[in-house]
């Protein structure tokens, strides 16, 4: 698992290794949402993890991608945000300490809003949306009611992102479709490339329309950029680093391999 104290230590570590360290905003409880920048030409790729609290182990993929970018210097700027929801991750940490299973399975932020249904993209219409605060699926009082989702959206616009990757667990499958019309062909081609890059174990899911209000959904609908939600590993939540060891290797070079599409 990966929590805020480790992220804080990583901020120092990767700064010394040459990454620019940016806070894209504060969480509801005032923690920094830290982003690492490896500078290249315009047309950025953003890789994020941990928007769902119990899936914070996905940060290890983003860290590995950051290390790869630092060692190989990308041609386009790459941004890495390992822990979009640091407050939620603290709830999971507490659950692991006390054995409280509902906290171990927490997906939302500290206010009980599921950040990945809080974006302004067909908000509130998802098949699993709920309308009261809790550990998962609560959409919030309105789109972007939460500081974390606002910060991520603002940063994505402001940095001129051309492609985004969002890491979750579990299932070894990925999603890219959100009612694209004009860009359907472009995005399906990139999806096919990702499928080949991640090998046969990944199940590609087309035409999934049950989703709404997600970061990927918002990137596709409002920014018209290709955006992918990738589910790492298999097993019982919350997954441990060992459960995604192979996935870390498979995804290491993905942002760099995708540069040809930005
Ligand atoms: Zn998730």
């Amino acid at each position: 698992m990966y929590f805020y104290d480790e992220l804080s230590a990583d901020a120092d570590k990767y700064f010394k290794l040459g990454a620019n360290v940016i806070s894209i905003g504060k969480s509801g409880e005032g923690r920094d949402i830290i982003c690492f920048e490896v500078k290249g030409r315009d047309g950025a790729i953003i890789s994020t993890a941990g928007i769902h609290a119990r899936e914070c182990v996905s940060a290890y993929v983003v860290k590995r991608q950051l290390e790869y970018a630092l060692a190989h210097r990308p041609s386009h700027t790459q941004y890495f945000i390992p822990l979009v929801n640091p407050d939620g991750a603290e709830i999971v940490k507490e659950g692991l300490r006390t054995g409280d299973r509902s906290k171990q399975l927490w997906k939302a932020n500290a206010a009980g809003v599921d950040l990945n249904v809080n974006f302004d993209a067909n908000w509130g219409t998802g098949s699993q949306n709920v309308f009261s605060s809790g550990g998962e699926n609560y959409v919030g009082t309105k789109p972007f009611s939460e500081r974390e989702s606002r910060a991520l959206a603002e940063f994505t616009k402001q940095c001129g992102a051309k492609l985004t990757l969002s890491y979750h667990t579990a299932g070894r499958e990925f999603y890219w479709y959100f009612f694209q019309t004009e860009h359907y062909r472009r995005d399906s081609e990139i999806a096919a490339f990702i499928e080949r890059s991640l090998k046969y174990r990944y199940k590609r899911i087309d035409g999934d329309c049950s989703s709404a209000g997600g970061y990927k959904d918002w990137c596709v609908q409002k920014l018209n950029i290709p955006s992918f939600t990738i589910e790492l590993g298999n097993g019982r939540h919350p997954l441990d680093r060992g459960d995604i060891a192979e996935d870390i290797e498979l995804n290491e070079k993905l942002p760099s391999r995708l540069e040809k599409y930005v």
Side-chain angles (χ1 to χ4, degrees):
M1 301 299 291
Y2 185 90
F3 304 112
Y4 192 67
D5 48 0
E6 194 167 349
L7 176 63
S8 303
D10 279 341
D12 291 335
K13 174 181 163 185
Y14 292 115
F15 177 72
K16 285 176 187 147
L17 290 171
N20 297 319
V21 181
I22 302 162
S23 173
I24 67 165
K26 299 273 190 189
S27 67
E29 293 185 333
R31 294 182 177 88
D32 283 308
I33 302 169
I34 292 173
C35 174
F36 299 96
E37 178 192 57
V38 184
K39 200 89 177 125
R41 294 201 304 275
D42 285 351
I45 293 176
I46 300 178
S47 183
T48 77
I51 196 168
H52 282 147
R54 72 182 188 188
E55 299 159 22
C56 58
V57 71
S58 52
Y60 287 109
V61 164
V62 172
K63 272 179 54 151
R64 177 66 71 86
Q65 293 173 338
L66 166 61
E67 288 164 6
Y68 184 84
L70 286 168
H72 296 86
R73 288 289 153 182
S75 53
H76 290 272
T77 300
Q78 293 183 17
Y79 293 103
F80 304 93
I81 306 174
L83 204 52
V84 173
N85 178 13
D87 300 350
E90 290 300 304
I91 294 173
V92 175
K93 187 181 180 182
E94 175 70 4
L96 291 169
R97 193 180 65 80
T98 60
D100 181 336
R101 189 72 184 140
S102 71
K103 287 186 175 173
Q104 291 173 15
L105 295 179
W106 195 265
K107 290 172 76 176
N109 69 358
V113 177
D114 188 326
L115 297 171
N116 208 37
V117 291
N118 189 237
F119 286 75
D120 184 16
N122 298 7
W123 177 85
T125 67
S127 61
Q128 293 182 48
N129 287 172
V130 303
F131 298 91
S132 60
S133 172
E136 62 182 351
N137 300 331
Y138 173 45
V139 296
T141 53
K142 59 182 180 185
F144 295 129
S145 60
E146 303 309 295
R147 291 171 80 174
E148 297 91 340
S149 48
R150 280 203 302 277
L152 182 55
E154 277 309 311
F155 178 74
T156 304
K157 280 195 286 192
Q158 169 241 309
C159 79
K162 293 285 185 270
L163 188 150
T164 74
L165 302 172
S166 306
Y167 284 99
H168 293 245
T169 62
R172 289 187 172 139
E173 56 195 17
F174 71 97
Y175 302 86
W176 62 276
Y177 180 72
F178 195 68
F179 311 104
Q180 289 97 326
T181 50
E182 189 186 344
H183 297 297
Y184 181 91
R185 186 165 174 179
R186 175 197 69 186
D187 295 359
S188 64
E189 280 174 10
I190 303 171
F193 176 81
I194 292 175
E195 184 177 44
R196 290 195 301 277
S197 295
L198 298 183
K199 310 269 164 47
Y200 68 93
R201 296 181 305 111
Y202 279 84
K203 184 170 64 168
R204 164 182 166 184
I205 299 187
D206 295 11
D208 174 73
C209 304
S210 63
S211 157
Y215 176 55
K216 172 265 286 169
D217 306 334
W218 178 80
C219 288
V220 169
Q221 187 182 78
K222 296 293 196 288
L223 303 185
N224 296 310
I225 60 174
S227 188
F228 303 89
T229 296
I230 302 177
E231 304 277 355
L232 305 162
N234 276 314
R236 184 169 177 257
H237 282 107
L239 268 61
D240 200 30
R241 188 176 179 170
D243 297 319
I244 63 161
E246 271 183 73
D247 307 86
I248 293 172
E249 304 295 329
L250 285 170
N251 283 274
E252 176 184 37
K253 299 174 188 166
L254 191 60
S256 297
R257 284 176 175 157
L258 290 169
E259 283 193 326
K260 62 184 173 185
Y261 294 109
V262 305

